[in-house]
Amino acid sequence: MNQSPLQKARYQYSPKLPGMLRNGISEICVKEGNATQSVADQEKIAALFPNTYGEKEITFEKGENTSAAKKQVVGVILSGGQAPGGHNVICGLYDALKATSKENVLYGFKNGPIGLLEDNYVEFDDAYIDAYRNTGGFDIIGSGRTKLETEEQFAVAAKVCEKHGITAIVIIGGDDSNTNAAVLAEYFAAHNTGVQVIGCPKTIDGDLKNEDIECSFGFDTATKTYSELIGNIERDANSAKKYWHFVKVMGRSASHVALECALETQPNICLISEEVAAKKQSLSEIADYIADAVEKRSANGNNFGVAIIPEGVVEFVPEFKALIAEINELLAGNKTEEFNALGSWEEKYAFIEKGLTAESMAVFAILPQTIQQQLFLERDPHGNVQVSLIESEKLFSALVADKLAERGYTGKFNALHHFFGYEGRCAFPSNFDADYCYSLGYNAFMLIQYGYNGYLSKVSNLSKPAEEWVAGGMPITKMMNIERRNGEDKPVIKKALVELDGKPFKYFEANRDTWAVETAYTYPGAIQYYGPTEVCDLTTRTLALEKGE
Ligand code: FBP
């Protein structure tokens, strides 16, 4: 394979471990803390996890390693969307495992959780691992979105583990995958399989975080990548002074990515979905808010701007949510065929008009026709509207154009559109993500070696230099509560949305009116892998603000 100069150089990078893990495997001891409780619904969660609930939080320290000598055969799985650093989790895991004993084995199950069920795997060796050190992507073994959640699947997983003599499974995934990791851990314990399960917190969305997990890996690199591009666009906008750029950024539901990019680049507008929901903002109100900025800037001679739109925002607009629910109902079952049989858009429109309530029709009517049609064309296998495919950046620029026209605005408003998502998911991990991920993997092996089951690999104190990071583990059940999912009460890890009373949002809120009117852009530039520490090892503004820095 032809390698870029950067890839060759990154092979030589040595990821930084937390100080307490730097003295070699024989010098890592464990300190047990207090017994834990789930964040809510304690009785219910305890009843669902009789074998793994209430375990102690643990921290690793420098000291004599007292773990039992045992051959470890570990299987690792990458689950869900790509996030920069996944390869380094596997590298850290492999290095710790081999440093403990050359006899230890690491298998990678291919293409996500399905690899475990289909017994589709690769056995890692030095050459294989070395080709992926400090690189982006999940192509080392591939990823997938199959969920490991049923008893039948767990039974198959147990058989596969037995066949290979597997002692532990490491699942690298987001909130859902780690929820399932906890359920699998409980199953393995209840069935005396002797197989441990350890999770690692992944997702660029940044929504797997809580009082124990300061951030999921990949968020740092992905937001730096988007922020670089947004900063470049801001500079272009400020040079040409003729376009308003509407930039949609990934993040299925929570707006952490949008908020971090706004903190990095100080755009004129950034919508925060959680605020839209809290204030029950309508599409019209949001369009008014953006149009106000367009008018004020135009009055100052600035016919340009940058607006960041979080991917999931439309689902947080109450009236839009109601519209989607009605459309799903309108086309349920064989009504889709009836709809599709209608010839022209006019006929379809009349069908829609007849089927929607007056409130939802009023919302539908103000949408640009391309968006109206998207709502009926893009359906998932269950026939539901695929909200994530709605081009919300185009939706909002069109609504703003309509608003301006209504107001009799005579200035200029030329919109351009962008979507940044996949561009950031497989970038070479920043030094932060390279170090954090390697540490998560290394640490996951220490949790295995010390016999823990149903734990999330935890590395904290992340806003400080890696030397001061704290390595340990937290029972996954501690992060769980009961939520209603598909009509059933389920134990799940609570998804972290942007907190409107949190410091990152408060900082943004305190500054955004100025940023809306003035041109206060900041240009983060490309991720730097080599150079001054204050440039290369810096983590996110979100984390710094959360830590009061
Ligand atoms: P994970 O939650 O699995 O990490 O994936 C996050 C994400 O990148 C979202 O930001 C995005 O909405 C989604 O995946 C896209 O999914 P897909 O890769 O299946 O198109």
Side-chain angles (χ1 to χ4, degrees), residues 106-129:
L106 181 62
Y107 294 122
F109 287 101
K110 291 185 178 176
N111 307 324
I114 192 129
L116 177 59
L117 303 179
E118 293 178 343
D119 195 13
N120 182 10
Y121 68 94
V122 59
E123 183 181 335
F124 292 114
D125 59 20
D126 290 354
Y128 198 120
I129 288 288

Side-chain angles (χ1 to χ4, degrees), residues 80-81 145 202-205 250-252 311 422 425:
R145 291 199 182 275
K202 169 234 73 166
T203 176
I204 63 150
D205 291 1
M250 233 183 205
R252 191 193 308 275
E311 182 182 13
Y422 299 96
R425 296 202 312 185

Side-chain angles (χ1 to χ4, degrees), residues 254-276:
S255 299
H256 298 292
V257 173
L259 179 55
E260 171 62 21
C261 292
L263 296 170
E264 292 281 352
T265 61
Q266 304 190 176
N268 305 102
I269 299 287
C270 176
L271 302 181
I272 300 296
S273 306
E274 292 81 349
E275 184 184 27
V276 166

Side-chain angles (χ1 to χ4, degrees), residues 334-345:
N334 56 14
K335 285 184 271 178
T336 302
E337 282 164 29
E338 196 187 321
F339 177 80
N340 288 342
L342 298 169
S344 67
W345 175 242

